[in-house]
Amino acid sequence: MSADLIFPLRGSRSGVVRLICAWLMAVMLVVSGARPAHAGSPIAVVAAEAVWGDIARQVGGADVAVSSILTNPATDPHAFEASPMDGRRLGAARIVIANGGGYDGWLDRLMEGGGNAGRPVVLNVAALVGWRDGDNAHFWYDLAMVRAVATAFAADCGAILPDRRAAVQERLQQFLDALGPLQQRIDRLRARYHGVPVAASEPIFGLMTRQIGLTMHDGDFQRAVMNGTDPGPSEVAGFERDLTERRVRMLILNEQTTGPATDRLEQLAQGAGIPVLHVGESLPPGMRYQDWIAGMLDRLDQALAHAPPGGPT
């Protein structure tokens, strides 16, 4: 190492003073970053996805300081690459919310290399809801799973700030009550559309269509897409026949993963007069979870209400 690096500004008292001050500031930053939050401090929460961050913010209120990593709806979550800044945020977190289920594997790698000495509480949604390999990992489209996540998060907050447990539980109940109208919408849609055949390019919305009771076609095509492989010729041909022969009454597409294949499906659906429902994987900025889901349910209702009569089955 160069002597100039060890003794910068040699012979200059002001240089030595600046060096000592810089060193003291660095030590203070390290110490303050390692110090656990006191009872009055908000809990630092990092959510891998904005949807979980919003739910944490609603339940935690002023008792949490939430930061979400995946916040851009235009980003394909499966192609996301975390940055060093994301790693630093995780290093300061007291609670980390991960979707799990292979959806955000980048978070596991980031935490392994982050070296968070405080060992944050990790709320892994997949583990919480009993996910198994091959299951759908878009958990926010299942209200029962969302309730479980919100309840578990409230318990984690209460364990860290016991004096704020009652306030957190009150906000938890407010959030759970806000899901009531969504459940009522789902129940009405199920009564109206149970058994109606639909198709989707991938299983992003599968947990919601299951709650509504829609009959999903072209499962092999969707599983191939989910597993990162190209659907076979027979799967593609079968999907296209479902559209051109009006065997399904709605096509569901992921608005965040488009390409020539999905463009062709959309064109075939439009040519047959079949409505297309675009859904996303990321909560739009500034929107609450319950409003986001309500909007999709409204669009689904409108699409099926105006869908043409089905063809052969």
Side-chain angles (χ1 to χ4, degrees):
M1 180 180 294
S2 169
D4 289 336
L5 294 178
I6 300 175
F7 302 108
L9 301 175
R10 185 179 308 176
S12 169
R13 178 177 299 178
S14 61
V16 173
V17 171
R18 286 197 299 270
L19 177 62
I20 294 174
C21 290
W23 177 79
L24 287 173
M25 289 178 64
V27 171
M28 291 172 64
L29 286 173
V30 171
V31 172
S32 63
R35 185 186 301 125
H38 58 75
S41 300
I43 303 168
V45 179
V46 174
E49 293 80 22
V51 62
W52 302 124
D54 174 71
I55 292 171
R57 194 174 291 108
Q58 292 191 54
V59 173
D63 294 314
V64 298
V66 181
S67 174
S68 299
I69 295 177
L70 266 173
T71 59
N72 187 351
T75 300
D76 180 358
H78 306 283
F80 177 76
E81 294 185 7
S83 69
M85 181 179 295
D86 298 325
R88 288 192 291 272
R89 283 194 284 174
L90 285 170
R94 298 290 302 280
I95 299 177
V96 174
I97 307 177
N99 192 80
Y103 188 83
D104 45 18
W106 51 267
L107 182 66
D108 297 331
R109 296 187 295 272
L110 203 59
M111 292 192 66
E112 288 172 1
N116 187 325
R119 294 186 179 180
V121 174
V122 179
L123 200 174
N124 185 294
V125 180
L128 179 68
V129 303
W131 178 90
R132 292 181 295 180
D133 190 26
D135 290 348
N136 196 316
H138 300 90
F139 306 120
W140 54 87
Y141 284 126
D142 187 310
L143 292 194
M145 296 180 182
V146 169
R147 294 187 191 97
V149 172
T151 302
F153 177 74
D156 289 339
C157 290
I160 295 174
L161 294 178
D163 61 319
R164 300 296 300 163
R165 184 178 288 120
V168 173
Q169 287 297 318
E170 182 178 353
R171 287 190 295 266
L172 168 65
Q173 191 57 53
Q174 292 172 353
F175 176 73
L176 297 179
D177 291 344
L179 299 183
L182 286 182
Q183 187 62 61
Q184 293 171 6
R185 291 189 190 203
I186 292 172
D187 294 342
R188 287 195 298 268
L189 291 172
R190 184 179 182 88
R192 187 174 183 181
Y193 300 118
H194 184 271
V196 169
V198 299
S201 60
E202 55 184 285
I204 174 178
F205 205 51
L207 292 175
M208 184 60 76
T209 59
R210 186 177 66 185
Q211 292 174 87
I212 297 171
L214 301 176
T215 299
M216 185 63 69
H217 283 217
D218 305 297
D220 291 339
F221 184 102
Q222 295 181 53
R223 281 187 287 274
V225 173
M226 181 177 67
N227 294 327
T229 60
D230 293 328
S234 61
E235 283 81 20
V236 174
F239 201 144
E240 293 184 353
R241 281 197 304 272
D242 276 347
L243 296 173
T244 57
E245 297 179 9
R246 293 184 179 177
R247 295 173 184 261
V248 295
R249 293 185 58 192
M250 183 175 66
L251 172 64
I252 303 170
L253 296 179
N254 184 348
E255 63 190 8
Q256 292 176 231
T257 55
T258 59
T262 55
D263 290 345
R264 173 168 173 75
L265 293 175
E266 185 165 13
Q267 291 170 1
L268 291 174
Q270 291 174 342
I274 296 173
V276 179
L277 176 67
H278 293 271
V279 298
E281 299 186 61
S282 299
L283 179 73
M287 182 173 285
R288 297 187 309 168
Y289 166 78
Q290 52 268 41
D291 299 328
W292 183 47
I293 298 297
M296 277 184 274
L297 294 178
D298 287 344
R299 295 200 307 274
L300 182 148
D301 189 13
Q302 294 168 7
L304 290 178
H306 297 91
T313 58

